[in-house]
Amino acid sequence: MESSLPDLEAILLVGGQGTRLRPLTLGTPKPLLPTAGVPFLAHQLARARSFGVRRIVFATSYKAAMFEPAFGDGSALGLSLEYMTEETPLGTGGAIRNAAEALTCGPSDPVLILNGDILSGHDIGDQVRTHCERGAAVTLHLTEVEDPTRFGCVPTDESGRVTAFLEKTPNPVTNRINAGCYVFTRSVIDSIPRGEVVSVERETFPGLIDSGELVLGYADRTYWLDVGTPAAFVKGSRDLVLGRLDSPALPGPQGEHLALDGAKISAEAKVQGGTTVGARAVVEAGASVVGSVLCDDSVIEAGATVSDSVVGKGARICSGTVVRDAVIGDGAVVGPGNELQGGVRVWPGVELPERAVRYSSDV
């Protein structure tokens, strides 16, 4: 697998603001959020490397200055990394065109495009080989979802040729959607106007189809997840810890939980369901944590219950409190006897007094 794509270059799109994940993304760009113990992108970078990618150009915009300190020149990961920043956001096509200035490959070479908020188990090497064998302009990874109305849907003919590119629609013609991983022939990227706001989904792909260029769909049914919402972010971290998706970047064995350096988990606590317990985080006796992300230095006190939630850096969940399907911002303190659930988000640094928020009527 490695040898077939020795010199493949990639562009990684990481410019988004991650608004759906606030307050987690107020201080940290979405691609750097801790996911199964490492920044989210570490999983993508390690997977790309496993398929032979050796050079990756980051297309940054929001909080651009935070990416290079996180990954440096990539040598620790066996990669060569470059950083290209858009002064003003240019859309997906403009971002790809801007980042392409740092590519070294020739006009007929394939270039892999990755989105910084997707977890995928598909065979990148096979997608690239298919692209090259068919001489396509672009080859899009397509995945099948139960509810395609939330995504752009992508019908193909029997040869795999994409026949249309339909933005979110109430009556999709197919449940195959754009999965956000593309292979472009380099010359096609160079044809995108420079320094302009361009959407590949709304302009570049439909334009290529209209002009008769070969736009291919590479469809498969492997693991795929868009981590744009808190529930999906938690699911992604959980699935990596449990081993539902393999990642070379996982910093420990797969299992019911992953504990980072200095984490203290009481023998009388229950921590399971793919939970990550961050560095120096504490889970006290009688606490129950299921399928959650506990960030560094967070504290779950005795008798508290946390499930399907994110507890931010240095946040504290006091005894007897129930946190379910919630996001607790960095440094927040949720006092004893609170019940937080149903997608509630507590902003960083907020302190909720005892029994401030309840869902049940008992006191």
Side-chain angles (χ1 to χ4, degrees), residues 7-359:
D7 301 313
L8 185 63
E9 290 186 303
I11 292 172
L12 184 56
L13 299 174
V14 290
Q17 294 196 13
T19 46
R20 293 180 297 166
L21 276 170
R22 286 180 186 154
L24 298 175
T25 47
L26 292 176
T28 305
K30 173 165 62 174
L32 296 182
L33 290 174
T35 309
V38 292
F40 179 80
L41 283 186
H43 299 290
Q44 276 197 329
L45 295 173
R47 266 189 65 76
R49 191 187 185 285
S50 76
F51 286 106
V53 175
R54 290 294 176 268
R55 192 157 178 279
I56 299 180
V57 182
F58 279 54
T60 64
S61 176
Y62 177 69
K63 295 197 180 292
M66 294 181 71
F67 288 92
E68 194 162 356
F71 298 109
D73 64 1
S75 53
L77 306 166
L79 292 165
S80 163
L81 301 181
E82 297 269 343
Y83 301 86
M84 295 291 283
T85 300
E86 301 153 59
E87 302 312 321
T88 56
L90 297 171
T92 47
I96 292 169
R97 179 68 182 86
N98 186 60
E101 298 293 312
L103 295 174
T104 62
C105 62
S108 61
D109 288 331
V111 178
L112 181 69
I113 313 288
L114 298 165
N115 266 287
D117 49 8
I118 300 292
L119 276 178
S120 175
H122 82 286
D123 186 335
I124 290 170
D126 193 50
Q127 181 183 353
V128 176
R129 276 190 295 276
T130 301
H131 173 88
C132 295
E133 283 163 10
R134 296 282 300 272
V138 185
T139 302
L140 317 173
H141 177 216
L142 307 180
T143 190
E144 297 183 5
V145 293
E146 283 180 18
D147 175 18
T149 57
R150 296 173 31 235
F151 304 93
C153 93
V154 186
T156 53
D157 68 14
E158 60 282 357
S159 75
R161 179 187 280 266
V162 174
T163 53
F165 209 89
L166 309 170
E167 276 299 308
K168 297 168 189 165
T169 158
N171 300 303
V173 296
T174 172
N175 66 342
R176 280 188 180 167
I177 62 151
N178 169 18
C181 175
Y182 317 129
V183 183
F184 272 80
T185 297
R186 167 74 194 268
S187 58
V188 176
I189 297 178
D190 293 338
S191 71
I192 297 171
R194 217 182 134 184
E196 292 181 25
V197 178
V198 179
S199 160
V200 288
E201 298 85 2
R202 290 188 185 83
E203 298 168 69
T204 309
F205 297 153
L208 289 166
I209 292 166
D210 290 346
S211 63
E213 296 277 351
L214 178 56
V215 177
L216 267 188
Y218 178 84
D220 81 339
R221 293 171 165 232
T222 52
Y223 184 99
W224 184 85
L225 184 68
D226 169 354
V227 298
T229 65
F233 169 69
V234 170
K235 178 181 180 355
S237 183
R238 183 166 66 216
D239 287 348
L240 286 160
V241 174
L242 289 169
R244 291 173 183 160
L245 174 67
D246 288 328
S247 168
L250 193 72
Q254 295 170 344
E256 285 294 316
H257 75 259
L258 172 69
L260 301 186
D261 288 349
K264 292 191 177 68
I265 301 173
S266 162
E268 281 87 58
K270 188 173 84 172
V271 181
Q272 58 193 46
T275 293
T276 302
V277 183
R280 302 167 304 280
V282 177
V283 183
E284 295 182 359
S288 167
V289 185
V290 181
S292 294
V293 177
L294 307 182
C295 297
D296 296 350
D297 302 297
S298 59
V299 177
I300 312 301
E301 289 187 1
T305 300
V306 178
S307 60
D308 303 322
S309 296
V310 184
V311 178
K313 288 194 286 277
R316 176 178 287 266
I317 309 300
C318 295
S319 56
T321 281
V322 176
V323 176
R324 221 177 255 118
D325 180 27
V327 176
I328 310 300
D330 295 350
V333 178
V334 182
N338 281 287
E339 288 179 339
L340 302 180
Q341 61 190 51
V344 70
R345 302 167 191 237
V346 176
W347 248 238
V350 167
E351 299 196 16
L352 283 181
E354 185 170 357
R355 293 184 179 272
V357 179
R358 303 280 294 172
Y359 277 76

